Structure formats: C-alpha cells, structure tokens
Short mmCIF file of all heavy atoms in Angstrom, two decimals:
data_model
loop_
_atom_site.label_atom_id
_atom_site.label_comp_id
_atom_site.label_asym_id
_atom_site.label_seq_id
_atom_site.Cartn_x
_atom_site.Cartn_y
_atom_site.Cartn_z
N ASN A 1 108.06 103.58 84.40
CA ASN A 1 107.68 102.25 83.89
C ASN A 1 108.75 101.22 84.20
O ASN A 1 108.44 100.06 84.54
CB ASN A 1 107.44 102.33 82.37
CG ASN A 1 106.16 103.09 82.05
OD1 ASN A 1 105.22 103.11 82.85
ND2 ASN A 1 106.12 103.71 80.88
N ALA A 2 110.02 101.62 84.09
CA ALA A 2 111.11 100.70 84.39
C ALA A 2 111.08 100.29 85.86
O ALA A 2 111.30 99.11 86.21
CB ALA A 2 112.44 101.35 84.05
N ALA A 3 110.78 101.26 86.74
CA ALA A 3 110.70 100.95 88.17
C ALA A 3 109.53 100.02 88.46
O ALA A 3 109.64 99.13 89.32
CB ALA A 3 110.56 102.25 88.96
N ARG A 4 108.43 100.20 87.75
CA ARG A 4 107.26 99.32 87.94
C ARG A 4 107.61 97.87 87.60
O ARG A 4 107.21 96.92 88.29
CB ARG A 4 106.09 99.79 87.09
CG ARG A 4 105.39 101.01 87.66
CD ARG A 4 104.16 101.40 86.86
NE ARG A 4 103.49 102.53 87.48
CZ ARG A 4 102.64 102.44 88.48
NH1 ARG A 4 102.32 101.24 88.97
NH2 ARG A 4 102.08 103.52 89.00
N LYS A 5 108.37 97.68 86.53
CA LYS A 5 108.77 96.33 86.13
C LYS A 5 109.67 95.70 87.19
O LYS A 5 109.56 94.50 87.50
CB LYS A 5 109.50 96.38 84.78
CG LYS A 5 108.58 96.70 83.61
CD LYS A 5 109.37 96.77 82.31
CE LYS A 5 108.45 97.13 81.13
NZ LYS A 5 109.23 97.27 79.86
N THR A 6 110.57 96.50 87.75
CA THR A 6 111.47 96.01 88.80
C THR A 6 110.66 95.61 90.03
O THR A 6 110.90 94.55 90.64
CB THR A 6 112.50 97.09 89.17
OG1 THR A 6 113.27 97.42 88.01
CG2 THR A 6 113.44 96.61 90.26
N LEU A 7 109.70 96.45 90.42
CA LEU A 7 108.89 96.17 91.60
C LEU A 7 107.98 94.94 91.40
O LEU A 7 107.72 94.20 92.36
CB LEU A 7 108.04 97.40 91.95
CG LEU A 7 108.80 98.58 92.56
CD1 LEU A 7 107.94 99.83 92.55
CD2 LEU A 7 109.24 98.25 93.99
N ALA A 8 107.53 94.73 90.17
CA ALA A 8 106.61 93.62 89.90
C ALA A 8 107.25 92.26 90.14
O ALA A 8 106.57 91.27 90.44
CB ALA A 8 106.09 93.72 88.46
N THR A 9 108.59 92.19 90.03
CA THR A 9 109.29 90.90 90.20
C THR A 9 110.03 90.82 91.54
O THR A 9 110.80 89.89 91.76
CB THR A 9 110.30 90.69 89.06
OG1 THR A 9 111.23 91.79 89.05
CG2 THR A 9 109.58 90.64 87.71
N ALA A 10 109.80 91.79 92.41
CA ALA A 10 110.53 91.82 93.69
C ALA A 10 109.96 90.81 94.68
O ALA A 10 108.76 90.54 94.69
CB ALA A 10 110.47 93.23 94.28
N ASN A 11 110.85 90.26 95.52
CA ASN A 11 110.43 89.38 96.62
C ASN A 11 110.40 90.12 97.96
O ASN A 11 109.71 89.69 98.89
CB ASN A 11 111.39 88.19 96.75
CG ASN A 11 111.48 87.38 95.47
OD1 ASN A 11 112.53 87.29 94.87
ND2 ASN A 11 110.36 86.80 95.04
N LEU A 12 111.16 91.20 98.04
CA LEU A 12 111.19 92.02 99.26
C LEU A 12 111.40 93.47 98.86
O LEU A 12 112.33 93.79 98.12
CB LEU A 12 112.32 91.57 100.20
CG LEU A 12 112.54 92.43 101.46
CD1 LEU A 12 111.34 92.34 102.39
CD2 LEU A 12 113.82 91.99 102.19
N VAL A 13 110.50 94.35 99.36
CA VAL A 13 110.64 95.79 99.09
C VAL A 13 110.80 96.50 100.44
O VAL A 13 110.00 96.30 101.35
CB VAL A 13 109.41 96.35 98.33
CG1 VAL A 13 109.57 97.87 98.12
CG2 VAL A 13 109.26 95.65 96.99
N VAL A 14 111.83 97.29 100.53
CA VAL A 14 112.19 97.97 101.77
C VAL A 14 112.13 99.48 101.55
O VAL A 14 112.59 99.98 100.51
CB VAL A 14 113.62 97.57 102.22
CG1 VAL A 14 113.97 98.24 103.55
CG2 VAL A 14 113.76 96.07 102.32
N GLY A 15 111.56 100.21 102.50
CA GLY A 15 111.52 101.67 102.37
C GLY A 15 110.73 102.30 103.49
O GLY A 15 110.10 101.60 104.30
N GLY A 16 110.74 103.62 103.54
CA GLY A 16 109.91 104.33 104.50
C GLY A 16 108.44 104.10 104.21
O GLY A 16 108.06 103.74 103.09
N LYS A 17 107.62 104.29 105.24
CA LYS A 17 106.17 104.03 105.10
C LYS A 17 105.57 104.84 103.95
O LYS A 17 104.73 104.34 103.19
CB LYS A 17 105.45 104.36 106.40
CG LYS A 17 105.74 103.37 107.53
CD LYS A 17 104.96 103.74 108.78
CE LYS A 17 105.20 102.73 109.91
NZ LYS A 17 104.46 103.09 111.14
N ARG A 18 105.98 106.09 103.82
CA ARG A 18 105.45 106.97 102.77
C ARG A 18 105.80 106.42 101.39
O ARG A 18 104.98 106.43 100.46
CB ARG A 18 106.02 108.38 102.97
CG ARG A 18 105.44 109.47 102.09
CD ARG A 18 105.98 110.82 102.53
NE ARG A 18 107.44 110.87 102.42
CZ ARG A 18 108.10 111.30 101.34
NH1 ARG A 18 107.41 111.72 100.28
NH2 ARG A 18 109.41 111.32 101.31
N LEU A 19 107.04 105.92 101.24
CA LEU A 19 107.47 105.40 99.95
C LEU A 19 106.80 104.06 99.63
O LEU A 19 106.40 103.82 98.49
CB LEU A 19 109.00 105.23 99.96
CG LEU A 19 109.83 106.48 100.26
CD1 LEU A 19 111.31 106.17 100.20
CD2 LEU A 19 109.50 107.60 99.28
N LEU A 20 106.64 103.22 100.64
CA LEU A 20 105.96 101.93 100.42
C LEU A 20 104.51 102.16 100.01
O LEU A 20 103.99 101.45 99.12
CB LEU A 20 106.02 101.09 101.69
CG LEU A 20 107.39 100.48 102.05
CD1 LEU A 20 107.33 99.83 103.42
CD2 LEU A 20 107.83 99.46 101.00
N ALA A 21 103.85 103.13 100.64
CA ALA A 21 102.44 103.42 100.30
C ALA A 21 102.33 103.90 98.86
O ALA A 21 101.37 103.54 98.14
CB ALA A 21 101.89 104.48 101.26
N ALA A 22 103.30 104.69 98.40
CA ALA A 22 103.26 105.21 97.03
C ALA A 22 103.45 104.11 95.99
O ALA A 22 102.98 104.24 94.85
CB ALA A 22 104.35 106.28 96.86
N CYS A 23 104.11 103.02 96.38
CA CYS A 23 104.41 101.93 95.43
C CYS A 23 103.49 100.72 95.58
O CYS A 23 103.71 99.69 94.94
CB CYS A 23 105.86 101.48 95.60
SG CYS A 23 107.07 102.75 95.23
N GLN A 24 102.48 100.84 96.43
CA GLN A 24 101.66 99.68 96.78
C GLN A 24 101.04 98.99 95.57
O GLN A 24 101.04 97.76 95.48
CB GLN A 24 100.55 100.11 97.75
CG GLN A 24 99.95 98.96 98.55
CD GLN A 24 100.98 98.23 99.41
OE1 GLN A 24 101.75 98.85 100.12
NE2 GLN A 24 101.00 96.90 99.31
N ASP A 25 100.55 99.77 94.61
CA ASP A 25 99.87 99.16 93.47
C ASP A 25 100.85 98.51 92.48
O ASP A 25 100.43 97.77 91.59
CB ASP A 25 99.01 100.19 92.73
CG ASP A 25 99.84 101.30 92.10
OD1 ASP A 25 100.98 101.53 92.58
OD2 ASP A 25 99.37 101.92 91.13
N ALA A 26 102.15 98.77 92.63
CA ALA A 26 103.14 98.18 91.72
C ALA A 26 103.78 96.92 92.30
O ALA A 26 104.54 96.24 91.63
CB ALA A 26 104.23 99.20 91.41
N ILE A 27 103.45 96.61 93.56
CA ILE A 27 104.05 95.46 94.24
C ILE A 27 103.08 94.29 94.21
O ILE A 27 101.89 94.44 94.49
CB ILE A 27 104.39 95.81 95.71
CG1 ILE A 27 105.41 96.96 95.76
CG2 ILE A 27 104.92 94.61 96.46
CD1 ILE A 27 105.63 97.52 97.15
N SER A 28 103.59 93.11 93.86
CA SER A 28 102.75 91.91 93.83
C SER A 28 102.49 91.43 95.26
O SER A 28 103.43 91.03 95.96
CB SER A 28 103.44 90.79 93.03
OG SER A 28 102.76 89.58 93.21
N PRO A 29 101.25 91.46 95.72
CA PRO A 29 100.98 91.07 97.11
C PRO A 29 101.21 89.59 97.38
O PRO A 29 101.44 89.19 98.52
CB PRO A 29 99.49 91.44 97.29
CG PRO A 29 98.92 91.46 95.92
CD PRO A 29 100.03 91.85 94.99
N LYS A 30 101.15 88.74 96.35
CA LYS A 30 101.32 87.29 96.55
C LYS A 30 102.78 86.90 96.73
O LYS A 30 103.12 86.04 97.55
CB LYS A 30 100.72 86.52 95.37
CG LYS A 30 99.21 86.62 95.26
CD LYS A 30 98.71 85.79 94.09
CE LYS A 30 97.18 85.88 93.96
NZ LYS A 30 96.70 85.09 92.80
N ASN A 31 103.65 87.51 95.94
CA ASN A 31 105.05 87.07 95.90
C ASN A 31 106.02 87.99 96.62
O ASN A 31 107.22 87.70 96.66
CB ASN A 31 105.51 86.93 94.44
CG ASN A 31 104.59 86.02 93.65
OD1 ASN A 31 104.17 84.98 94.16
ND2 ASN A 31 104.28 86.41 92.42
#
C-alpha cells in the first residue's frame, strides 16, 4: 500500500518492462 501511494504521485517511473507492467494500475497515466 505504501508503494502504491508513492507511485500514485510519481512524475516518472523507471524500471524493467516486467516491473513496469506489474505496476501499471498504480501509475497515474495523466501525470
């Protein structure tokens, strides 16, 4: 849950394709 909150306010998320896919629903597509 803490990681989800961090991802929700992120402006740039960096990682391997597998890791980015796993976090897709926690990342705000607009911001």
